[in-house]
Structures are given as structure tokens and as C-alpha cells.
Amino acid sequence: MGEKPVINKGLEGIYVAETKLSYIDGENSRLYYVGYSIEDLAKYSTYEEVAFLLYYYRLPTKSEYELFKAVMRESREVPDEVLSIVRNMVRRRAHPMDILRTAVSSLSALDPEIDQRSREADIRKALRILSKAPSIIAAMYRFSRGLDYIEPRNDLDHAANLIYMMHGKKPSEFEAKVLDTIFILHAEHGMNASTFASLVTASTLADIYAAVVSGISALKGPLHGGAAEAAYWQYKEIGSPDNVEAWVKNALDKKRRIMGMGHRVYKSYDPRAKIMKELDREVASKFGGEAAQLYSIATKLEEVALRELSKRGKVTIQPNVDFYTPIAYTALGIPPELFTTIFAASRIVGWTAKVIEYVENNRLIRPLDYYIGELDKKYVPLDQR
Ligand SMILES: CC(C)(COP(=O)(O)OP(=O)(O)OC[C@H]1O[C@@H](n2cnc3c(N)ncnc32)[C@H](O)[C@@H]1OP(=O)(O)O)[C@@H](O)C(=O)NCCC(=O)NCCS
């Protein structure tokens, strides 16, 4: 056992890889994908273009972009075998993240290139998973309401098609842009827990489906992917902007966490939250109703929570991306139980791009643990215990 080593609990502060995919400057509220600021990408780009950027480390030319989008569109169909699995799991009231995980896992059985291990083959497989994930989410939405599955539409972009497959109606340009922005904001984010889970799996040279299934599994937990849904229920619990003052004081006195605030890396305002907040202002004024109500509660909550947290010396706890996404999701008719699945569907590009990057210089991820139990214990046979 030797002298007790330093235990890096939670691997905090440990670098495990080099990357050119994303850079988070947590002190200065900055996020970049391949050197491009998240603000520019959210404003000018699309999720499909961001996916290309993350796989190829550059923006596509017009013809590359069209071809890439066409490949994604052609991969949207989900085989009947997988839709049956989704239908059965919905009937059993399984958690949507478990359904997504199982559906992606079952898709591996139907991928003719499952055993091909080249960068290009991995990108092709990743694109298939990426393109089918929204169809799986829409299927969950439809089946859980006793509705029939709607086939994907090949004349719509990635985000617009998801809204269409859920509601059977082509979304407006603004609605499509709102969801596309959410997809862009969640596409990639450094070495977080689910990305690391994907990398651990991929570092054994397991296939890319296995890596994505690991990512989805890790994202399910409330400390990682589940915060937007928790933020939604928090706003519902608060009920009205008038209740915010009392609610915050009571929550902080009871050491409750404000969902959608605080971040392991951002010690200032999460730039994604800023983008979402601006978008939500427009969403609230265009849609009114529940989205506007949630927006007024969230903005008031931000103001009061920042003031009260700062009184308690906690100035680094500020809104993260999950604070403002519930408003946009609600406006788009996306129910809270599906929020995390949309995060997962967006992040598939980040998980797979990082896995593809990592295995090019692969090193099996194999940390150590320090044994603190006893040794040389006497084995007592079962009938003598
Ligand atoms: C994201 C999160 C896990 C990161 O936390 P972390 O870096 O591990 O910070 P810690 O858990 O060490 O918290 C440090 C202090 O800030 C407080 N704190 C952290 N987040 C808080 C929040 N959202 N509301 C109130 N207090 C919070 C903690 O209670 C702790 O206080 P203490 O020192 O008095 O015990 C945490 O901020 C959190 O739970 N946020 C809410 C869930 C959420 O929005 N998650 C989405 C992340 S994208």
C-alpha cells in the first residue's frame, strides 16, 4: 500500500487530455468551439454547421455544408424494431433518458459499420446517432400521449424537424431558431462528467455507440443533465414573481440550492445563460402564456438570488444555461421530462467529436485507487460461519 498518495477525489483539477474542440474561460464568461465564440455561433451559425466544425475543426464551405446536411437528413429514420422498443418502454413508464439510452444502444445492432474503426467511419456512425436522436425523442413524446409516430421531414433542418415530429406542424422560423440555439449551446462543453464517461468507454476501443450510451447514462444524473427540469419545477413551486423574495430567503436559510445557478467551471455568468436570457425575452413577448410567466419568475429569481447570495459572500453562484432553457422549451411545447433528452441529443456531437479526437492518440484510461482495507484475513468456510 505504501505511503498514502494524494487522492484526487472527483478528479478535480486533473487534466486527462489535450483538445482543440472547446475552451471554457470560467472567470471571464467565455466559451469557444474550435476558437469561435459561442455568441457568434449562436447568432450566425446552425447546429449542423457546429457539428461539422466539431468533427472537422473548421467551418464548411457552402457545398460541404449542403452535403453534410443532406447526410444528416437521410439518417433520420428510426427502424421499426427500435420504435417498438421505445413504444414498449413508454408503456412501462420508463424514464425518457433510459429510453433514449436503450434506443441508441439497440441502433448499434443495425449499423452495418459497427466494427469499422476509422476516423471517417466513426464520423459516419456519429452522424447516424446524431440524426436519429430527435426522431427517438419525438417518438417518446407521441407514444406517451397515445399518438402515432410522425415520419421525419427531409425538407426541414435538424431542430425544425424535431418540433415538426413532435407536434405534426412545421414550426415558424423563430421557433426553429430558438431550438437550434439550444442545440448549439449544448453541443460541447469541455471535460464534463458525461464526456469523460464516453472517453473512458472509448479508450478501451469499444465502439462509438458504446461511448454515446455511456455519455447518456452519466448525463441522466441530477448533478449533471437534470438541472433544467429541476429549474422548471422550481419556477412552478414559486408560482409568481411576488413570491420570489420570501421563497429565496427561505430556500437559502434551509440550505436549499437554487436550481440553474452555480457551476463547477464558471465562476461568473455562464455565457450560454446570457444568450438564453436574451432569447427568452423575445420568446416571452412573442408567446405570452406560461412561457412569459416563467420568464417573469426566473428574471425576478435571478435578481433576488444574486443579491441574497452576495450578502452571504457567494458571489460566484450565478445563472448557468439550465436557468433559462425551461422557458424556451415550454414555449415550444416541449414537456419538462424531455428537457434532459434534448441536452443529450445536442451533446452527442460533443461526446463523439471528443472520442474521435481522443482515440487518435489513444491511451487506455486506467486510474488507481488506494486500498484502505485489511489484508491476509483468514478464510472461514461457509458452513463454519
Ligand atoms: C453545479 C454545482 C453542482 C457546482 O457546484 P460546486 O462547484 O461543486 O460547488 P459546491 O457544491 O462546492 O458549493 C459551494 C457553496 O456554494 C453553495 N451553492 C452552490 N450552488 C448553489 C446554488 N445553486 N444555490 C445555492 N447555493 C449554492 C453550496 O451550498 C456551497 O455552500 P457552502 O460552502 O456554504 O456549503 C452547484 O452549483 C449546484 O448544485 N447547482 C444547482 C444545480 C445546477 O444548476 N446544476 C447544473 C450545472 S450546469
Side-chain angles (χ1 to χ4, degrees):
M1 283 178 272
E3 198 180 319
K4 186 168 181 179
V6 174
I7 308 275
N8 294 292
K9 231 179 152 195
L11 294 181
E12 245 182 293
I14 304 290
Y15 288 85
V16 295
E18 289 182 335
T19 184
K20 290 183 178 164
L21 291 171
S22 63
Y23 175 64
I24 308 167
D25 178 352
E27 298 298 325
N28 298 304
S29 301
R30 307 291 293 157
L31 169 64
Y32 301 86
Y33 295 167
V34 194
Y36 294 95
S37 78
I38 195 67
E39 290 80 10
D40 279 355
L41 293 172
K43 193 164 176 190
Y44 303 118
S45 190
T46 63
Y47 181 67
E48 287 92 328
E49 189 177 56
V50 164
F52 185 102
L53 174 68
L54 291 166
Y55 291 128
Y56 297 104
Y57 301 95
R58 63 177 176 84
L59 293 171
T61 62
K62 193 159 182 356
S63 61
E64 285 172 332
Y65 179 59
E66 292 305 331
L67 181 65
F68 190 79
K69 286 212 296 187
V71 171
M72 282 182 69
R73 285 172 181 195
E74 279 159 17
S75 305
R76 283 178 186 159
E77 265 155 42
V78 175
D80 285 344
E81 293 99 311
V82 177
L83 286 177
S84 299
I85 293 172
V86 173
R87 191 179 277 108
N88 286 332
M89 288 185 78
V90 165
R91 205 173 285 144
R92 293 283 181 158
R93 298 186 186 283
H95 189 286
M97 287 294 278
D98 296 345
I99 304 177
L100 182 65
R101 188 192 68 215
T102 308
V104 169
S105 191
S106 64
L107 283 172
S108 71
L110 306 166
D111 194 314
E113 291 193 297
I114 189 74
D115 293 324
Q116 300 233 11
R117 283 315 305 236
S118 67
R119 181 183 155 75
E120 281 309 315
D122 274 346
I123 293 178
R124 284 197 295 275
K125 282 179 278 187
L127 283 181
R128 281 180 210 128
I129 308 173
L130 198 65
S131 306
K132 291 182 198 316
S135 309
I136 296 166
I137 295 170
M140 281 188 241
Y141 176 88
R142 305 279 305 171
F143 295 155
S144 63
R145 283 159 182 76
L147 301 168
D148 288 335
Y149 177 71
I150 296 177
E151 294 292 335
R153 248 176 80 166
N154 279 0
D155 59 333
L156 297 177
D157 286 342
H158 193 74
N161 176 61
L162 170 53
I163 303 175
Y164 166 73
M165 288 182 76
M166 286 174 91
H167 302 309
K169 192 170 150 272
K170 186 180 165 195
S172 69
E173 253 179 54
F174 179 68
E175 288 166 327
K177 176 66 192 160
V178 170
L179 189 58
D180 192 56
T181 306
I182 291 179
F183 266 95
I184 292 171
L185 298 183
H186 290 85
E188 157 62 12
H189 208 236
M191 188 51 66
N192 52 79
S194 57
T195 300
F196 186 61
S198 297
L199 277 199
V200 170
T201 299
S203 82
T204 70
L205 299 186
D207 63 84
I208 205 152
Y209 283 86
V212 171
V213 169
S214 300
I216 297 171
S217 306
L219 189 70
K220 182 185 175 189
L223 290 189
H224 191 4
E229 185 182 348
Y232 173 86
W233 291 117
Q234 165 183 272
Y235 303 144
K236 297 304 267 186
E237 182 190 320
I238 295 171
S240 149
D242 299 338
N243 301 334
V244 167
E245 286 277 353
W247 188 91
V248 170
K249 284 180 192 140
N250 183 43
L252 293 180
D253 286 348
K254 291 196 169 129
K255 301 236 166 267
R256 261 181 84 177
R257 289 185 179 216
I258 296 164
M259 287 295 135
M261 292 190 78
H263 197 273
R264 185 55 71 74
V265 185
Y266 293 113
K267 296 304 167 199
S268 54
Y269 212 102
D270 179 342
R272 302 166 303 170
K274 187 160 174 262
I275 294 166
M276 275 318 300
K277 186 180 179 183
E278 274 167 30
L279 198 55
D280 280 343
R281 189 160 41 85
E282 224 178 317
V283 164
S285 80
K286 281 200 163 90
F287 288 81
E290 191 187 355
Q293 174 74 353
L294 292 175
Y295 180 73
S296 57
I297 295 170
T299 44
K300 181 80 183 167
L301 178 61
E302 176 187 335
E303 179 199 317
V304 175
L306 288 179
R307 190 190 69 216
E308 290 300 318
L309 283 162
S310 134
K311 274 193 205 159
R312 291 162 165 82
K314 290 178 178 153
V315 289
T316 58
I317 300 164
Q318 305 201 20
N320 62 54
V321 66
D322 297 319
F323 197 79
Y324 280 111
T325 49
I327 294 147
Y329 284 138
T330 302
L332 298 174
I334 298 173
E337 68 273 14
L338 291 183
F339 292 177
T340 318
T341 63
I342 298 204
F343 181 167
S346 324
R347 186 55 61 81
I348 290 169
V349 66
W351 292 327
T352 52
K354 202 146 272 180
V355 157
I356 292 166
E357 182 182 62
Y358 185 84
V359 296
E360 273 178 4
N361 289 298
N362 191 47
R363 179 82 181 154
L364 175 69
I365 296 175
R366 204 310 185 186
L368 298 168
D369 55 2
Y370 182 70
Y371 182 69
I372 55 166
E374 294 171 46
L375 293 174
D376 296 328
K377 288 163 95 171
K378 185 168 162 42
Y379 181 83
V380 180
L382 191 57
D383 59 359
Q384 292 169 32
R385 275 177 243 155

